[in-house]
Amino acid sequence: MRPTFFYRAFGVLMALVIVAGLSGCGINTLPRLDEQVKASWSQVLNQYKRRADLVPNLVATVKGYAQHERDVLISVTQARAQVGSLKIPDNITENPAAFKKFQNAQANLTGALSRLLVVAERYPQLKANQNFLTLQAQLEGTENRISVARRDYIQAVQKYNTELRTIPGRWYASLFYPDAEVKQNFTISKEEMQTPKVQF
């Protein structure tokens, strides 16, 4: 009887030592970083949604003053509709094609909004309209929030991908998290990299 009790007690003690060792050695780092990426991505989506919600009011305000700028107003409306109709899969951060499609749609909306604000510069009465000024300030604030959310997401992805691709995280992933994949990150298009031409 004594040897059986001894072996059982020794087995329980060894199991406790293994669990304590694994919990302190970084085995939970990958899931923790994955959750940080998910939280950061949710914040990116939240800020893009905020921007999309501002667009109809902004377009309506500009439309009242600049009705013959029809092409610009239509392009903004279409870009917003494209963003709104985009189906975002659950695994978008691990799906390069879906991530690129999302990024392109958001870039189109950014470009269309920039053109809309340039049009607004041509109409002094519009620039003096309090509703327009408020919407413009909200849009600028949202663009700043988008930049911060994207930065935080980029940093979270960098930490996650580094952990996933380096040792010991790579070993833990292959043993305990075989479905873990590299996360997608934002890129800058060639057009965005070009310096704008200034003409006097």
Side-chain angles (χ1 to χ4, degrees):
M1 274 241 191
R2 283 192 172 201
T4 305
F5 174 75
F6 175 74
Y7 288 127
R8 255 191 222 150
F10 182 73
V12 169
L13 182 63
M14 288 306 293
L16 289 174
V17 168
I18 289 171
V19 167
L22 286 176
S23 66
C25 70
I27 195 168
N28 291 321
T29 302
L30 207 54
R32 192 170 52 253
L33 292 174
D34 186 41
E35 290 303 315
Q36 181 59 45
V37 169
K38 289 176 185 173
S40 298
W41 178 248
S42 293
Q43 189 58 22
V44 167
L45 292 177
N46 184 38
Q47 296 308 323
Y48 277 131
K49 167 114 175 54
R50 178 185 162 96
R51 179 175 72 174
D53 290 346
L54 287 173
V55 170
N57 292 332
L58 189 62
V59 168
T61 303
V62 173
K63 192 176 189 179
Y65 287 88
Q67 290 181 4
H68 63 280
E69 302 286 354
R70 191 171 175 82
D71 292 343
V72 175
L73 296 170
I74 288 172
S75 71
V76 171
T77 304
Q78 288 175 341
R80 183 187 182 274
Q82 180 188 15
V83 165
S85 67
L86 198 60
K87 301 288 187 244
I88 300 175
D90 291 339
N91 70 337
I92 189 168
T93 59
E94 297 161 356
N95 183 332
F99 196 89
K100 185 169 178 54
K101 191 174 181 181
F102 174 84
Q103 185 174 346
N104 288 342
Q106 294 296 343
N108 288 341
L109 182 55
T110 299
L113 285 170
S114 297
R115 289 189 296 280
L116 181 68
L117 293 177
V118 168
V119 163
E121 291 294 317
R122 296 185 210 151
Y123 298 91
Q125 310 94 332
L126 174 60
K127 286 173 36 178
N129 178 287
Q130 189 58 48
N131 191 26
F132 176 75
L133 292 174
T134 301
L135 290 167
Q136 187 178 24
Q138 288 178 357
L139 185 61
E140 288 170 1
T142 300
E143 291 295 337
N144 290 337
R145 287 184 180 102
I146 288 170
S147 294
V148 170
R150 281 176 54 139
R151 181 204 62 204
D152 293 347
Y153 173 78
I154 289 167
Q155 290 173 348
V157 167
Q158 184 263 330
K159 289 176 186 173
Y160 176 85
N161 287 348
T162 300
E163 181 68 21
L164 186 61
R165 300 172 88 184
T166 58
I167 295 173
R170 188 176 194 161
W171 293 339
Y172 293 139
S174 65
L175 290 173
F176 300 106
Y177 314 109
D179 58 340
E181 294 183 33
V182 171
K183 304 288 185 188
Q184 297 301 304
N185 225 329
F186 288 100
T187 57
I188 298 175
S189 68
K190 290 179 183 178
E191 294 80 21
E192 291 174 302
M193 291 292 287
Q194 292 176 353
T195 306
K197 294 179 182 176
V198 179
Q199 294 179 341
F200 295 101

